[in-house]
Amino acid sequence: MNNWIAGLSETELKYMAPALFVYEDDPEDAAIFMYREGLSKPMAAAGDKEVFIARAKQEKESRPPKSYWKQVKHEIFTLICRSDSKYDQLRKSLEEVSEQGTKVIVATVAASVGSIMGVEAGITKI
C-alpha cells in the first residue's frame, strides 16, 4: 500500500513549490505561504533570499488562518494513514500513475483532495 509515495521526488516538489526551500525547517510556514498561490511576484524577482523572506513574511501576515492547511493535513493523513473508503479510487489512481513522477502524483492528489474539500482543482498550478 502507498507505493505511489516512492514516486515522489523531494527535488521536484521543491521546484514545484519554491517556498519549501525558504521554509524547509517549518512545513507549516511553507504551507501557509503557498496557500492562495504565494507571492504575487515570482521568487526570482526578489533578487536574493533575504529580500524574498522579508516579502514572504509580509504577505504571510495578511493570509487567512491555518484552518485550510489543517483540513488539507487531515485529508492527506486520511489518504495515507487510514483506509477510509472515500479515497479508494484515488489510491487506485495513484498506483496507476506512480511511475509517471511527482507532477502527476501531486496533480492527482490535488484534484481529488480539492474536490473532497470543495476546492476547484484548477487552482493548483503545476
Side-chain angles (χ1 to χ4, degrees):
M1 189 171 153
N2 296 333
N3 295 329
W4 57 271
I5 292 175
L8 293 171
S9 160
E10 181 179 351
T11 302
E12 282 187 63
L13 286 171
K14 286 182 176 181
Y15 177 77
M16 293 164 59
L20 294 173
F21 277 123
V22 175
Y23 297 111
E24 65 185 341
D25 294 331
D26 190 348
E28 293 286 332
D29 280 345
I32 291 169
F33 173 75
M34 289 185 292
Y35 178 61
R36 293 206 179 176
E37 302 178 33
L39 292 171
S40 56
K41 295 182 180 178
M43 183 173 161
D48 65 35
K49 186 175 179 177
E50 296 306 317
V51 172
F52 179 73
I53 290 171
R55 188 182 293 163
K57 182 178 179 185
Q58 180 183 20
E59 185 149 329
K60 184 180 88 170
E61 290 170 357
S62 68
R63 297 200 180 260
K66 291 185 179 182
S67 59
Y68 177 82
W69 174 232
K70 287 178 182 178
Q71 183 62 32
V72 169
K73 288 192 308 183
H74 170 76
E75 295 301 329
I76 297 299
F77 177 83
T78 302
L79 167 65
I80 295 171
C81 301
R82 295 194 175 138
S83 57
D84 191 311
S85 62
K86 75 178 175 181
Y87 285 118
D88 286 349
Q89 183 57 47
L90 174 57
R91 289 185 195 97
K92 181 179 177 185
S93 296
L94 289 169
E95 291 301 324
E96 292 171 3
V97 301
S98 64
E99 299 292 320
Q100 295 179 38
T102 302
K103 275 190 171 185
V104 175
I105 293 170
V106 169
T108 303
V109 170
S112 182
V113 171
S115 69
I116 286 172
M117 291 178 56
V119 178
E120 205 173 304
I123 66 168
T124 303
K125 289 188 175 185
I126 298 179

